[in-house]
Amino acid sequence: MKPQKPPKTFRVKSFGCQMNVYDGERMAELLAEKGITPAPEGEDADLVVLNTCHIREKAAEKIYSDIGRLTKGKTQEKAPMIAVAGCVAQAEGEEIMTRAPAVSMVVGPQAYHRLPDMLDKAVKGERATDTDMPAIAKFDSLPQRRKRSPTAFLTVQEGCDKFCTYCVVPYTRGAEISRPFSDLIAEARKLIEAGAREITLLGQNVNAWSGEDVKGQRVGLAGLIRALARLDGLERIRYTTSHPNDMEDDLIAAHGEIDKLMPYLHLPVQSGNDRVLKAMNRSHTAESYLRLLERFREARPDIALSGDFIVGFPGETEAEFEDTLSIVDEVRYAQAFSFKYSPRPGTPAATMEDQIAKEVMDDRLQRLQARLNRDQLAFNAASVGKRCTVLVERKGKHPGQWLGKSPWLQSVWFEGECQIGDMVEVDLIEAGPNSLQGALLAGN
Ligand code: 5AD
Ligand code: SF4
């Protein structure tokens, strides 16, 4: 590769999960510290960071089409400098370097704090790959957030030791690690100073977080949430994604005790059939999952439930799929994410017999999503007539319109006088499948 012009502007494109959004923001801050500025909306950037997702095949293939689009018909001088980050970088770093000569840098999710050094090399024409996994070291060398926003993500835990047989995460994000308690409280304070009124704690298995509080006592996620709830200025706490097997009594109880902890739980089940769950290595049953949800509902009766589902796992029969439909009918999720099974290289399920035909998966996904959409709309419709607090996140499409979130993570739009970051009272007056209309109460 020839030496390249030092970039003046950048764009970070994040795909996939919220943890990638968090990582993308940190990378943007690292680049800003180097004096590189975000490219204005609608203009080409000198440096493009593709922060990729490897969870399903479609997501992974996206980067090659993106690279093609960025470089099509352009000489190296005219094309932007390209960095590939995220989980595809981790899993397929070497392959990207061979398949895409236009890529200057490949950097894994645990190594992106070294992006600035790699950039210096790229300017000299040296291509660089860094997919080390030093875990905590990354967080220590990241700059603090500068962008002001009423909502913020805070990564508290990374990695996964569960090894569900379909999933690449244990390979791309590595073993489970928890960031230290005091680092998290310090970062939360900074986020609040930068305007955050809501913090969402992130982790692949966020409820596996564990640490030592200021007194040196072992605390789980509930202990961390209790400490965060004491911080002035912070009004709302959320967390995602949880695993049924890491759920502690204390966290369930916290939902009934801590006002700042929002009434929302994302708890993936993946399938409603015990044979499939076993083949997935989920190590819980449909029944134990349902019992867990019941306990959350006892602690917090209005809790909104959300989940993830996979249809067409190898060997899944029609009757087994129908068990998934049954669990949906039983839980009545407020929101959910559902996917066709995608074989991921290196995972045990990818080489299992009885891979399911695409048409069968399409049909099952459609039937599952019809029920999930039915329940989401029903949940929103049941909210009409309620009065709730909305955290104002941004302006709406039309003048005078504002958008924010209800405690149950529903998007709510309304008209009236307010500002981004305000907590306002609204009456929910109309429901759609993806949002609700609110009426702002006088005196807000
Ligand atoms: N195929 C389809 N969906 C998957 N997920 C994880 N791995 C796969 C795969 N190989 C889904 C699971 C998980 C969510 C983040 O992505 O439902 O909870
Ligand atoms: Fe993947 Fe299972 Fe770990 Fe979730 S718990 S990240 S689905 S291996």
Side-chain angles (χ1 to χ4, degrees):
M1 196 168 240
K2 291 185 218 155
Q4 307 180 71
K5 267 199 317 262
K8 291 201 184 81
T9 61
F10 72 87
R11 176 163 295 123
V12 179
K13 275 184 80 175
S14 286
F15 304 90
C17 67
Q18 287 155 329
M19 202 163 273
N20 261 10
V21 176
Y22 176 91
D23 291 346
E25 286 175 359
R26 301 287 84 72
M27 283 189 264
E29 278 145 11
L30 282 166
L31 295 170
E33 279 206 331
K34 251 184 124 52
I36 311 173
T37 54
E41 198 73 42
E43 279 183 29
D44 290 344
D46 301 336
L47 165 66
V48 176
V49 181
L50 299 173
N51 191 20
T52 60
C53 171
H54 199 236
I55 200 112
R56 284 170 293 274
E57 189 179 357
K58 261 204 186 137
E61 277 303 311
K62 231 176 147 68
I63 68 151
Y64 293 105
S65 53
D66 267 17
I67 294 168
R69 200 162 340 106
L70 288 167
T71 54
K72 196 169 168 208
K74 290 184 184 152
T75 57
Q76 193 198 309
E77 286 76 21
K78 287 268 158 21
M81 189 185 272
I82 300 173
V84 178
C87 292
V88 183
Q90 188 67 36
E92 298 177 7
E94 292 299 308
E95 193 184 326
I96 295 166
M97 279 297 190
T98 327
R99 195 168 148 188
V103 170
S104 300
M105 292 162 272
V106 165
V107 60
Q110 307 299 0
Y112 65 76
H113 54 296
R114 298 203 280 248
L115 192 61
D117 293 340
M118 298 172 80
L119 189 64
D120 294 338
K121 283 197 187 147
V123 168
K124 289 187 216 145
E126 294 168 33
R127 300 174 86 202
T129 302
D130 192 339
T131 49
D132 276 1
M133 288 207 179
I136 291 288
K138 170 182 77 183
F139 293 104
D140 291 341
S141 41
L142 291 177
Q144 290 299 334
R145 167 191 174 112
R146 303 175 190 197
K147 198 181 83 183
R148 282 192 75 80
S149 166
T151 61
F153 290 133
L154 173 56
T155 294
V156 305
Q157 181 279 340
E158 267 198 281
C160 181
D161 301 334
K162 306 287 186 295
F163 290 93
C164 298
T165 52
Y166 51 80
C167 186
V168 287
V169 166
Y171 311 95
T172 53
R173 291 269 172 175
E176 287 180 9
I177 60 121
S178 293
R179 292 181 63 196
F181 181 91
S182 52
D183 291 9
L184 295 171
I185 300 291
E187 188 166 333
R189 284 212 167 95
K190 294 266 165 52
L191 293 172
I192 297 165
E193 274 166 31
R197 307 195 78 183
E198 171 179 301
I199 293 183
T200 302
L201 308 177
L202 297 182
Q204 260 95 29
N205 285 285
V206 70
N207 58 332
W209 182 88
S210 127
E212 277 180 14
D213 66 9
V214 281
K215 294 190 201 117
Q217 268 163 359
R218 192 239 157 224
V219 281
L221 188 67
L224 178 63
I225 290 172
R226 284 177 206 279
L228 290 170
R230 285 194 286 271
L231 299 180
D232 285 339
L234 184 62
E235 305 296 339
R236 289 178 162 190
I237 302 168
R238 302 180 185 276
Y239 61 93
T240 196
T241 289
S242 298
H243 192 289
N245 293 2
D246 290 321
M247 207 49 96
E248 294 186 347
D249 296 349
D250 197 18
L251 186 57
I252 300 175
H255 275 275
E257 293 164 8
I258 301 173
D259 289 343
K260 291 183 182 180
L261 181 57
M262 291 294 102
Y264 186 94
L265 173 70
H266 179 68
L267 193 65
V269 66
Q270 315 297 356
S271 163
N273 176 270
D274 289 347
R275 190 204 65 81
V276 175
L277 286 170
K278 194 155 197 284
M280 286 176 163
N281 191 32
R282 289 290 297 180
S283 52
H284 59 78
T285 61
E287 191 51 42
S288 67
Y289 173 84
L290 287 171
R291 274 206 309 272
L292 201 51
L293 292 190
E294 229 167 79
R295 294 178 59 209
F296 273 95
R297 280 187 162 145
E298 273 163 26
R300 182 77 206 228
D302 70 335
I303 198 161
L305 298 171
S306 157
D308 290 348
F309 299 89
I310 298 177
V311 301
F313 184 80
E316 183 189 68
T317 64
E318 169 63 21
E320 288 168 345
F321 166 67
E322 284 171 13
D323 286 344
T324 300
L325 296 180
S326 304
I327 208 168
V328 167
D329 285 349
E330 189 146 352
V331 174
R332 301 281 166 161
Y333 290 92
Q335 216 189 50
F337 305 89
S338 50
F339 313 99
K340 284 184 271 185
Y341 168 71
S342 167
R344 308 308 300 128
T347 59
T351 49
M352 283 180 187
E353 283 174 14
D354 292 330
Q355 298 283 326
I356 305 295
K358 185 182 166 297
E359 304 73 58
V360 176
M361 287 207 252
D362 286 340
D363 171 65
R364 289 182 186 169
L365 187 67
Q366 215 179 12
R367 285 154 67 202
L368 174 60
Q369 288 185 341
R371 295 208 189 187
L372 294 170
N373 291 343
R374 168 202 70 189
D375 293 346
Q376 183 168 325
L377 182 58
F379 183 85
N380 288 347
S383 305
V384 172
K386 283 188 187 164
R387 182 168 290 182
C388 72
T389 307
V390 168
L391 171 57
V392 184
E393 293 181 15
R394 57 192 166 91
K395 287 189 173 155
K397 264 193 232 124
H398 303 289
Q401 248 185 24
W402 298 93
L403 272 173
K405 294 270 169 29
S406 77
W408 307 280
L409 206 64
Q410 297 149 301
S411 290
V412 179
W413 69 270
F414 59 90
E415 286 169 359
E417 290 288 313
C418 64
Q419 283 187 354
I420 290 173
D422 283 354
M423 308 272 300
V424 296
E425 290 293 299
V426 305
D427 280 329
L428 298 172
I429 54 174
E430 206 174 309
N434 299 313
S435 65
L436 286 140
Q437 187 185 349
L440 188 64
L441 291 188
N444 263 299

